[in-house]
Amino acid sequence: MAEKYKRTDGRAYDEMREIKAKAGVIKNADGSAMFSFGDSIAIAAVYGPRQLHPQHLQDPSKCLLRCTYDMLSFSVNERKKPGPSRRSTEISYVTGKALEPVLQLDAYPNTVIDVFISIIQADASTRCAGINAASIALANAGLPMSELVTAVSMGKVAGNILVDLSKDEEDYRGEKIKETTDIPVAYLPRSDKISLLQLDGRIKVAELREAIKAAKKACLKINEIQREALKKIKE
Ligand code: ADP
């Protein structure tokens, strides 16, 4: 049984924080974008496809998609140690896996596409904000994509399924239900496929189904905002 839970910022359970998206924010990159969920702000910059060095890393059958996620030291209240960590290595890896299905990597043999994601302010769901920014940035770079990848973080707090958790919601502990479950989801709206599904915590099958359904609904809204951001730059 779920406990009564009032969201800290008064949102409905299926309501996301304010979303902002802008394409073309870094002049020197081939493509770039900013994407934010409330106070979680991601910037993505895309370079390539370009020749991959050192040469032994080249794949004659396809391009290497190299994603680098970095949460900057000043992005959180207590200064974070700069540089890569186990967490950033994992997030870089899953971000690449979430984006790969929409790209035609076999069109660019022996090359690399670099995607740098910087989290300049963090309040949870940063991997999802990063994927959304990277997806806009890849399209902004003019790369052929079958569709835009869209991501949102679902959660179970005090037994309730919520969309787009903030950090204080992630840290919330109910009176009886102490566990919070975090479920980042990346969704391909056109082909109705999921390219990322992580689960940190426990959840029942029926609840996971409910979370995925709500994630898809939220992603359709995010997808509209991503497309608007790309349209604006063409005007
Ligand atoms: P995500 O940001 O994708 O939700 P996590 O669940 O790992 O990824 O992190 C949740 C939140 O915890 C982050 O968005 C950030 O607000 C905070 N956080 C993560 N790592 C650190 C850290 N090293 N120092 C301070 N806060 C952190």
Side-chain angles (χ1 to χ4, degrees):
M1 261 295 271
E3 286 176 27
K4 234 184 167 157
Y5 173 72
K6 192 172 179 313
R7 298 192 81 167
T8 38
D9 49 11
R11 279 184 285 155
Y13 285 1
D14 64 351
E15 192 179 343
M16 291 179 279
R17 289 172 284 181
E18 187 191 5
I19 295 173
K20 288 189 187 144
K22 194 168 192 287
V25 295
I26 300 170
K27 191 170 147 263
N28 287 353
D30 293 316
S32 61
M34 180 285 298
F35 187 97
S36 63
F37 284 118
D39 288 335
S40 283
I41 310 175
I43 306 278
V46 170
Y47 300 85
R50 55 188 178 185
Q51 193 95 28
L52 176 58
H53 294 291
Q55 216 169 348
H56 73 266
L57 292 178
Q58 290 182 1
D59 184 339
S61 68
K62 64 176 172 59
C63 168
L64 170 71
L65 177 68
R66 189 162 56 188
C67 294
T68 311
Y69 165 102
D70 185 25
M71 205 167 83
L72 303 183
S73 294
F74 51 81
S75 64
V76 281
N77 290 343
E78 283 222 359
R79 181 183 172 278
K80 178 197 148 281
K81 190 168 163 262
S85 61
R86 279 181 62 174
R87 177 178 174 273
S88 69
T89 305
E90 173 219 321
I91 297 178
S92 299
Y93 176 79
V94 298
T95 298
K97 290 288 164 204
L99 295 167
E100 250 178 36
V102 301
L103 291 164
Q104 289 160 26
L105 295 176
D106 54 2
Y108 313 102
N110 301 320
T111 63
V112 60
I113 296 171
D114 268 305
V115 181
F116 294 104
I117 297 168
S118 301
I119 305 302
I120 58 171
Q121 194 170 271
D123 184 17
S125 301
T126 61
R127 79 194 61 202
C128 293
I131 290 169
N132 291 331
S135 187
I136 303 172
L138 286 160
N140 180 234
L143 289 161
M145 292 164 79
S146 52
E147 59 191 300
L148 290 170
V149 180
T150 303
V152 75
S153 199
M154 299 300 301
K156 186 176 144 192
V157 177
N160 303 285
I161 302 295
L162 312 182
V163 70
D164 183 29
L165 296 196
S166 62
K167 179 70 178 148
D168 54 0
E169 289 182 320
E170 245 187 52
D171 293 344
Y172 179 85
R173 299 292 170 260
E175 276 186 16
K176 286 206 182 107
I177 307 173
K178 306 281 177 208
E179 195 183 59
T180 297
T181 303
D182 193 9
I183 318 152
V185 178
Y187 180 55
L188 280 48
R190 192 179 288 169
S191 51
D192 192 23
K193 284 192 175 136
I194 285 173
S195 62
L196 169 75
L197 181 66
Q198 292 186 283
L199 182 68
D200 187 6
R202 282 179 299 177
I203 198 156
K204 295 196 178 94
V205 173
E207 290 170 335
L208 184 59
R209 284 215 179 94
E210 183 189 337
I212 291 173
K213 201 171 155 198
K216 286 183 178 182
K217 203 171 142 207
C219 281
L220 291 179
K221 287 188 195 150
I222 298 169
N223 197 252
E224 278 300 311
I225 298 171
Q226 289 175 303
R227 289 151 66 119
E228 279 302 314
L230 285 161
K231 256 192 230 156
K232 258 199 193 126
I233 206 156
K234 283 190 193 140
E235 280 167 7

